[in-house]
Each structure stands twice: as structure tokens, then as C-alpha cells.
Amino acid sequence: MSEVKISAEPRTEFGKGGARRTRRAGKVPAVLYGHGEKPKHIALPSREFAAAIRKGGANQLFAIDITDGTQVLALPKAIQRDPIRDTFEHVDLLLVRRGEKVTVEVPVQLTGEAAKDTLIVHDHDTLSVTADATKVPDHLEASIEGLEAGTQVSASDVTLPAGVELAVDSELTVASVTAAPTAEQLEATLPEIEVATDEAEAEVGETTEGSEDADAAPAAEGDETTEARTEA
């Protein structure tokens, strides 16, 4: 994976208020740490950072040029996102050096198609591997082509690029191939689903009625309490 050059500036405001002001300015609050150095608080340009992550993935290598003259290489260690606005709230960045080995989680993609009438169960979507900090793959691949029901794909079946080693048990199950349910099995489960749905709807109705009765009394009590405190 090629490194992405990005500018940054030191942060002097901390806490929730400082982080909000940083984000309003179009930047992502971040912390640089590692190699025994004191953590350094910086702000990254939101648009450039988001574009790099969306293209290179969560293990994108950054060459960071800080306005105080510092130049470093870093990998994202933890990324906090706002799930509603799909924005980046905060980033922890791990300092790395060229030639240094790092252990990271890399997404696993399954290729090919399993045998007919089967389903694929993803037991692990990522695998922990050790690689050169400047050569971390953006994903790994494992083939499920023609696999029959009852077959498992293990970590040892995943194709590893040169220089990349597993950091987990080679027998760890990545995916399982199971038999797809027949039409008869699906029909047999429908009555059970309908009964469960009817019972759930009945419970919700009872809870709603009880809640309406319960809400009225506390409101009146609260009003009396307020008047009593005012008079006191």
C-alpha cells in the first residue's frame, strides 16, 4: 500500500469543547503516539483524511507533515466515526518506521462461489497479521470456489502476500459453508415465526397501555412537588 502525504497542525485545545471546535474548522482531532515518545495532539484536514481512508482502508499509511517542522510516518490505530453523519470524530495514530514490523487487523474477502444450495457464514471478517509497516495489504483473499456444505475455510487457507505472516492460530475458522434450508424447512418455520410475531405484538400493546396510565400520575405528582417547593 502506498503512503498518502497529508498535512497537520499541532492542537492546543483539548477536551470535548476543543474537539468540537476542531471539527467545526473542517479538521479531525488526532493523537500521535508510539516509540516511547510523548503523545502529540494534532489536527488533520477532514476531507483529505476521509478520502485516503475510503480509498486505502483503515490501514492506510500516512506521511504526516506537521506545521512545526515534524515529519512522521503513522498508521491509524483507532478511528472513531459518527455513524449518522458518516464523519470522522477522532483518530489515534501509531508512529512507525520504514522496515518496522507491525501487527494489524486486515479485512478478508472471499472469492469464487461455493457449491449449489449452500450458504456462507463469515466467522471472522478480519485477520491479525504481521507485516512491514510500509507494506500492509489493504485486504486478504480466500477462495470458496466449489466448496461443499460442511467445509470450513481456515486462516491457513488465506492467501498471504510476500512478507506477511499470520498473527493468529492457523486453524482459526474464517468462514463456514453450510447447507441452505429447503423450501419445506422454510415453510415449516413460518407458523412458528407468525406465532412469535403475534405474541410480541400483544406484549407491546399491553406495555403501551400500561405506560400511558403510568405517565399520567407522575406528571401530576411532579406539578404538586414544584408548587410545594415554590411556596417553601
Side-chain angles (χ1 to χ4, degrees), residues 28-128:
V28 181
V31 177
L32 276 169
Y33 68 95
H35 294 160
E37 296 186 15
K38 182 179 179 180
K40 191 168 189 173
H41 298 265
I42 61 173
L44 302 167
S46 298
R47 185 173 298 178
E48 289 85 341
F49 179 78
I53 292 297
R54 291 188 176 107
K55 181 178 180 181
N59 291 318
Q60 174 63 60
L61 178 66
F62 287 94
I64 305 175
D65 187 0
I66 308 174
T67 54
D68 64 3
T70 306
Q71 294 181 329
V72 297
L73 285 177
L75 284 169
K77 189 65 175 178
I79 299 176
Q80 296 177 20
R81 299 192 188 201
D82 184 318
I84 297 176
R85 290 179 288 185
D86 192 27
T87 56
F88 295 93
E89 297 289 286
H90 189 274
V91 186
D92 287 348
L93 295 160
L94 179 65
L95 292 169
V96 296
R97 298 189 182 98
R98 299 186 188 281
E100 177 183 5
K101 292 285 187 178
V102 294
T103 299
V104 293
E105 291 287 328
V106 178
V108 178
Q109 295 181 4
L110 302 179
T111 62
E113 294 185 3
K116 187 178 179 181
D117 298 327
T118 59
L119 293 175
I120 306 300
V121 178
H122 293 261
D123 296 278
H124 289 87
D125 293 328
T126 65
L127 276 183
S128 182

Side-chain angles (χ1 to χ4, degrees), residues 192-214:
E192 297 178 4
I193 295 174
E194 290 175 353
V195 170
T197 301
D198 292 340
E199 292 177 349
E201 291 176 349
E203 291 178 1
V204 170
E206 293 174 359
T207 302
T208 302
E209 292 177 1
S211 299
E212 291 175 351
D213 295 339

